[in-house]
Amino acid sequence: MASTNTTLPPVTQQSTQNCTAISDLCPVEATIYGYYPSLGANAFFCAIFAICFFAQFFQGIRWKTWTYMIALTLGSFAEAVGYVGRILLHNNPWSNDGFEIQICCLIIAPAFIAAGIYLTLKHIVLEFGSDFSRLRPKYYTWIFILCDLFSLILQGAGGGIAATANKNVALQHTGNDLMMAGIVWQVFTLLVFGSLVADYASRAYQRRTELAPSAIKLFNTLRFKLFAGGLILTYLTVFTRCVFRIAEMAKGWKNPIMQDETDFIVLDGVMITIATLCLTVFHPGYCFPEMQMHGKTNPLAEFMAVDAEKVADPESNTPSLDGAEQPKSMDGKTNPQPEFMAADAEKGADRESNTPSLNGVEQPKS
């Protein structure tokens, strides 16, 4: 009996350091999640995100929404791969490969989904009027995409450390802290973004008599209302997921929230599924086609000077041929004097080219 007790010690954290499969010494309760992930739920999520990946890819090509396509295809792909990792954990809850795949992919994927929201605000401001905005339209893209990138780096680094900790508790805690810091930053970014959107909407509503007829027409279309409603629902679901993830990680690994699969399915899986479906079904290519007219069709267009913004921004001036800026007239057009001067010069050139000869016959033009 003594010999048996030596080879089969009670289940402790130390005794499960080398566990690779379920056994008497390595029960499922001793794993980080403490359960067999549901095969049906995870297969469902994997399939949905795979469909969204292909839908976003083909719609991006069809409508030439390149930057939007990159953000949403990366997010959908990462979600689909993350649920493949959870399927591996269903087969073997001690699978290092499954844990590494799901922790890295499911942590960072929502940052790409959030980027899809951030990319649209600039175009909405351009369409409805930059006068109502506290920031120049292009700054929305710069500020929030960079903030999202910083969040992505923190979460990715934390997920990588946690995934490669190889049951090293100290490293797992370090990874957990980094991931939580990244998600907290993401929540802060979402709050600032939501505040700016609410402020813009309030200012535009208060001055709605100043809206251009094209903006009023767009606002009253069903397609734009569906697009705006989809964005709002996406924002709320991504925000809910991030708050849940903070609560899940606040007490470290193997805490009760982390080991409750129902909470994860509802507050992470379902939330991000709704967000991704909204951005896919109510795609800006057909719900907000005006977005395509505000930039060039290349992935860097969001970070470059866009001609459409200069047209929409009443503060911008039209440069003259010699590089000096021409003042605008009251109707927003450039000073008409250079046009008349150019016309006079053209007439003068025509007169010179048709100079009559001494015998009254016109000489051919040079």
Side-chain angles (χ1 to χ4, degrees):
M1 178 68 67
S3 176
T4 302
N5 290 336
T6 302
T7 58
L8 296 175
V11 176
T12 64
Q13 184 173 317
Q14 288 73 25
S15 69
T16 58
Q17 287 293 319
N18 298 317
C19 287
T20 58
I22 297 296
S23 67
D24 291 338
L25 290 179
C26 302
V28 67
E29 292 79 11
T31 62
I32 287 178
Y33 294 119
Y35 58 81
Y36 287 90
S38 169
L39 178 60
N42 290 293
F44 171 79
F45 289 133
C46 182
I48 289 293
F49 287 113
I51 292 171
C52 289
F53 168 79
F54 288 108
Q56 286 290 345
F57 181 77
F58 289 115
Q59 287 184 112
I61 293 175
R62 167 66 178 83
W63 303 107
K64 295 181 173 60
T65 51
W66 304 118
T67 314
Y68 186 87
M69 179 191 75
I70 290 173
L72 270 297
T73 52
L74 286 175
S76 300
F77 180 77
E79 286 285 345
V81 173
Y83 282 103
V84 169
R86 288 185 67 85
I87 291 172
L88 294 177
L89 287 178
H90 167 82
N91 296 327
N92 178 14
W94 288 103
S95 170
N96 281 330
D97 291 339
F99 177 76
E100 292 172 6
I101 291 171
Q102 66 91 33
I103 195 67
C104 290
C105 292
L106 296 183
I107 282 292
I108 66 174
F112 293 108
I113 307 300
I117 309 173
Y118 301 148
L119 289 171
T120 60
L121 180 57
K122 163 190 168 180
H123 301 285
I124 292 174
V125 170
L126 284 173
E127 199 60 33
F128 284 87
S130 58
D131 287 346
F132 312 126
S133 175
R134 296 187 186 275
L135 297 176
R136 291 179 65 87
K138 65 181 180 181
Y139 292 154
Y140 288 111
T141 301
W142 276 102
I143 292 172
F144 290 106
I145 292 298
L146 289 176
C147 288
D148 202 46
L149 180 61
F150 181 63
S151 168
L152 190 64
I153 291 172
L154 286 176
Q155 293 180 62
I161 291 173
T164 57
N166 196 25
K167 300 183 179 64
N168 184 312
V169 177
L171 282 179
Q172 285 180 347
H173 286 313
T174 300
N176 182 79
D177 291 343
L178 279 174
M179 286 188 290
M180 191 163 66
I183 297 174
V184 168
W185 177 256
Q186 189 174 5
V187 168
F188 173 75
T189 302
L190 285 166
L191 285 172
V192 173
F193 178 82
S195 299
L196 287 173
V197 170
D199 177 72
Y200 179 81
S202 174
R203 288 159 64 90
Y205 179 78
Q206 291 173 3
R207 297 166 58 185
R208 57 190 177 278
T209 56
E210 302 174 29
L211 288 172
S214 60
I216 297 175
K217 181 179 178 182
L218 173 64
F219 181 78
N220 289 326
T221 61
L222 176 62
R223 59 179 175 82
F224 182 78
K225 290 179 179 179
L226 291 173
F227 177 71
L231 286 179
I232 293 171
L233 187 55
T234 298
Y235 175 87
L236 293 175
T237 51
V238 171
F239 185 84
T240 300
R241 175 266 176 189
C242 290
V243 172
F244 162 70
R245 279 292 195 170
I246 292 174
E248 180 194 42
M249 296 181 176
K251 296 183 179 180
W253 302 99
K254 299 184 179 182
N255 72 74
I257 297 178
M258 186 175 288
Q259 295 191 337
D260 189 330
E261 186 180 22
T262 301
D263 287 349
F264 174 83
I265 290 175
V266 174
L267 297 175
D268 191 300
V270 172
M271 292 298 105
I272 301 303
T273 297
I274 292 173
T276 308
L277 285 174
C278 284
L279 297 181
T280 303
V281 175
F282 306 122
H283 194 277
Y286 46 85
C287 285
F288 186 38
E290 290 79 4
M291 180 173 169
Q292 300 166 255
M293 298 183 286
H294 297 152
K296 301 176 182 178
T297 55
N298 67 73
L300 297 179
E302 300 294 340
F303 304 101
M304 299 169 65
V306 180
D307 293 337
E309 183 175 333
K310 295 179 181 179
V311 174
D313 190 347
E315 296 180 359
S316 62
N317 295 316
T318 304
S320 65
L321 295 177
D322 60 0
E325 291 185 344
Q326 297 292 335
K328 289 187 176 181
S329 61
M330 294 299 292
D331 60 358
K333 298 181 179 179
T334 56
N335 194 326
Q337 291 183 358
E339 297 179 8
F340 295 124
M341 293 173 64
D344 292 340
E346 184 176 344
K347 292 178 181 178
D350 288 341
R351 287 196 295 270
E352 291 178 2
S353 63
N354 294 313
T355 304
S357 65
L358 294 176
N359 58 8
V361 179
E362 285 191 356
Q363 298 296 325
K365 294 181 181 180
S366 57

